[in-house]
Amino acid sequence: MAQTSVRTSLQLGIYKVIDPFVKLLIKLGLTPNAVTSIGFILNVGVAAIFIIGGEDGDRANLSYVGWAGGLILFAGLFDMLDGQVARLGNMKSVFGALYDSVLDRYSELIMFLGICYYLVAHHYFLSSIFAFIALIGSMMVSYVRARAEGLGVECKGGLMQRPERIITIAVFAIACGITSSYIGGDYKYWIPGIRFHVFETMSIFTFPIAILAVLTNLTAFKRLVDAKKALSESGNE
């Protein structure tokens, strides 16, 4: 309950900041579906940056990760803008809600495609597996909610919802890119007596992805448990 309250307060604070920009978009004649489409196109750009970075033979060049993180954050802004454009512009529609949900899923899938491509291309095989598991968890978080709501059960809880996932990936990607410009993209930290390094610059990006892989699937499982409880209480289990 406290988590939901904090999340709602933050959301309302962000809306106050972006509302002037939302009103400008409405004046320019942009519809919620157009804003959603722009967000999707930006996420295609994110994947393109990761893929180009994967094709770059210099594994120590982590600037691609940083730039992709910045674009992820910018694209994520449009996830909030489309809803606000619909509300403030009185342009809500059933199809618009469906279109937004579908393109959100495509955007996240394409983003993870780029991340996985980059990690595989530069031989971060274990991290690429975690990224794929994080992708599975992200999709299941959304699927459990959609399926539960289709059965008449509200299912919005959990730690790693879409905004949290996007912010986590974006912030640590940016941090990885910036840090690499100071300590180098090929920096490694060794502990005497251990045969492998315990940290490298890329870990700033890959460690959070591993955590995301765990937390997204836990969130999906929690939603499933919550849905079961709600169905039991309503006698529809």
Side-chain angles (χ1 to χ4, degrees):
M1 194 73 172
Q3 178 194 340
T4 304
S5 178
V6 171
R7 193 172 186 273
T8 302
S9 298
L10 286 172
Q11 213 168 35
L12 291 174
I14 293 170
Y15 285 153
K16 286 181 181 179
V17 174
I18 67 173
D19 276 355
F21 184 53
V22 170
K23 290 172 183 176
L24 175 62
L25 293 178
I26 294 170
K27 283 183 180 179
L28 292 173
L30 284 177
T31 64
N33 289 351
V35 176
T36 301
S37 299
I38 292 170
F40 169 73
I41 292 167
L42 290 173
N43 276 292
V44 172
V46 169
I49 292 173
F50 275 120
I51 290 170
I52 293 169
E55 289 299 306
D56 185 345
D58 185 3
R59 175 173 161 145
N61 182 8
L62 301 183
S63 62
Y64 293 101
V65 177
W67 284 111
L71 191 54
I72 289 169
L73 208 56
F74 186 57
L77 175 63
F78 281 81
D79 285 341
M80 300 191 72
L81 288 175
D82 55 8
Q84 279 300 86
V85 168
R87 281 185 284 273
L88 296 183
N90 196 25
M91 290 184 276
K92 290 183 181 180
S93 70
V94 175
F95 175 74
L98 174 63
Y99 186 71
D100 179 44
S101 295
V102 170
L103 256 65
D104 278 353
R105 303 292 80 73
Y106 269 117
S107 293
E108 201 159 5
L109 284 164
I110 288 169
M111 178 191 70
F112 272 110
L113 167 66
I115 292 172
C116 288
Y117 188 98
Y118 183 92
L119 294 173
V120 170
H122 287 299
H123 309 294
Y124 295 103
F125 293 118
L126 183 59
S127 295
S128 69
I129 292 171
F130 279 122
F132 188 71
I133 294 171
L135 166 60
I136 293 171
S138 298
M139 291 303 102
M140 291 310 299
V141 167
S142 301
Y143 179 78
V144 174
R145 174 182 173 180
R147 193 71 185 93
E149 290 181 349
L151 296 171
V153 176
E154 188 175 271
C155 194
K156 295 183 178 179
L159 180 64
M160 276 297 162
Q161 299 180 55
R162 179 167 163 78
E164 288 86 343
R165 298 194 299 268
I166 296 302
I167 290 171
T168 298
I169 292 173
V171 167
F172 284 100
I174 293 169
C176 181
I178 292 174
T179 303
S180 70
S181 66
Y182 289 97
I183 65 174
D186 56 354
Y187 172 81
K188 292 179 175 62
Y189 180 74
W190 301 79
I191 293 178
I194 298 180
R195 304 172 89 181
F196 53 88
H197 59 272
V198 296
F199 175 85
E200 60 182 314
T201 312
M202 188 62 172
S203 302
I204 297 170
F205 182 53
T206 56
F207 280 179
I209 286 179
I211 294 169
L212 206 62
V214 176
L215 294 181
T216 52
N217 285 283
L218 285 177
T219 299
F221 182 73
K222 182 184 182 303
R223 285 188 171 185
L224 186 62
V225 171
D226 290 346
K228 182 180 186 301
K229 183 181 177 182
L231 287 168
S232 297
E233 290 173 353
S234 65
N236 293 322
E237 187 178 8

